Amino acid sequence: MSDGETPKTKAAPVDRGRMDKRRAIVEAALRVFARVGYSQASLDLIATEAGVAKPTIYNHLGSKENLFRHVMTETAARSNAKTLDVLDAFPTDPGKLRPGLEDVAHKLVDCYCDEQSESVRRLLYAEAVRFPDLFDEVRASGPNQFTDALAGRLARLANAGHLRIEDPERAANQFIALVYEELPGLSALGTRPLDPEQVHRIVTAGVDTFLRAFATHEPAAGDITPTAGT
């Protein structure tokens, strides 16, 4: 063994291969669960989808129930990491508040409406009776963290005098609802494509409504983007 070389260094490629295989199993399992549902999914189907032997799934993640729970929480956490990156572009300049919030809202919608996020959401609702505790687990590993982070950004704007907000967490939830909550119904929970123009109108109207409620000054008439039907 040369200077600086450790057993851990030698084992790293093996550990990386194990993690890659584990991730392949998780992604294959999500596709199978989303396609046929929890009841109809089997470890045989998942093993075939992942291109591994059935015992490999047991070795990595155990039973079907344990696999399902892991798939839901890990996918939510992975999606949340991408969603948190959205806040890197969060506006701090009051002169760019509207375009900055619109940019954040569009990126947030893109994250929430991607295939994996939609699959987790559908499965979470479909299996709520079977796994009543899983809802809170998934929320904790994903959306709740984003809401907390967004609340912190909004609180900074309020402390700087750019927004009027008494409860940043509630304001964060309201922002998300205004720019996103129409979309699951329009896409049938992600099973049909959304019209980009319609998404743009919803996001713009949501940001307009948010600023009407929380801006420290009334937006000028020219600052409000007309929405459908106006």
Side-chain angles (χ1 to χ4, degrees):
M1 183 181 298
S2 62
D3 291 343
E5 187 179 41
T6 67
K8 183 177 180 181
T9 303
K10 281 189 172 183
V14 176
D15 292 342
R16 176 60 183 269
R18 180 176 175 82
M19 292 305 296
D20 287 346
K21 186 169 289 186
R22 184 186 180 96
R23 180 160 182 168
I25 292 169
V26 169
E27 292 180 351
L30 178 61
R31 292 193 297 271
V32 172
F33 285 132
R35 189 165 64 238
V36 303
Y38 178 82
S39 295
Q40 297 301 313
S42 68
L43 293 185
D44 289 315
L45 275 175
I46 293 167
T48 300
E49 184 86 13
V52 301
K54 184 176 176 180
T56 302
I57 296 179
Y58 283 114
N59 291 338
H60 280 267
L61 293 156
S63 66
K64 184 173 86 167
E65 177 178 336
N66 187 66
L67 173 60
F68 181 72
R69 289 178 176 277
H70 185 83
V71 164
M72 297 291 280
T73 55
E74 181 174 304
T75 305
R78 207 157 57 224
S79 296
N80 188 55
K82 292 192 300 182
T83 308
L84 287 171
D85 288 343
V86 167
L87 295 179
D88 290 345
F90 197 84
T92 56
D93 181 350
K96 299 179 180 178
L97 190 55
R98 177 182 299 281
L101 288 177
E102 288 182 359
D103 182 50
V104 166
H106 276 291
K107 291 176 179 176
L108 174 63
V109 165
D110 287 344
C111 289
Y112 278 6
C113 293
D114 74 9
E115 185 177 354
Q116 289 195 339
S117 295
E118 293 283 24
S119 294
V120 167
R121 198 169 294 112
R122 287 196 303 273
L123 284 165
L124 193 63
Y125 296 154
E127 302 299 337
V129 174
R130 190 190 306 271
F131 300 105
D133 59 319
L134 191 57
F135 184 88
D136 291 335
E137 290 181 35
V138 171
R139 293 286 303 179
S141 64
N144 286 355
Q145 294 180 29
F146 177 80
T147 302
D148 289 344
L150 176 58
R153 302 300 197 284
L154 293 174
R156 290 177 200 170
L157 287 174
N159 291 336
H162 305 318
L163 294 174
R164 296 189 306 265
I165 293 177
E166 295 181 2
D167 186 337
E169 184 175 354
R170 178 167 293 169
N173 279 309
Q174 290 170 337
F175 179 82
I176 295 167
L178 286 168
V179 302
Y180 169 72
E181 283 302 314
E182 286 184 61
L183 301 180
L186 292 173
S187 69
L189 296 179
T191 60
R192 60 188 178 215
L194 289 162
D195 175 4
E197 286 300 319
Q198 190 173 29
V199 172
H200 178 72
R201 289 195 297 271
I202 289 169
V203 166
T204 301
V207 172
D208 283 343
T209 302
F210 184 83
L211 288 175
R212 286 179 184 275
F214 295 111
T216 53
H217 66 278
E218 288 296 324
D223 290 340
I224 301 300
T225 304
T227 58
T230 61

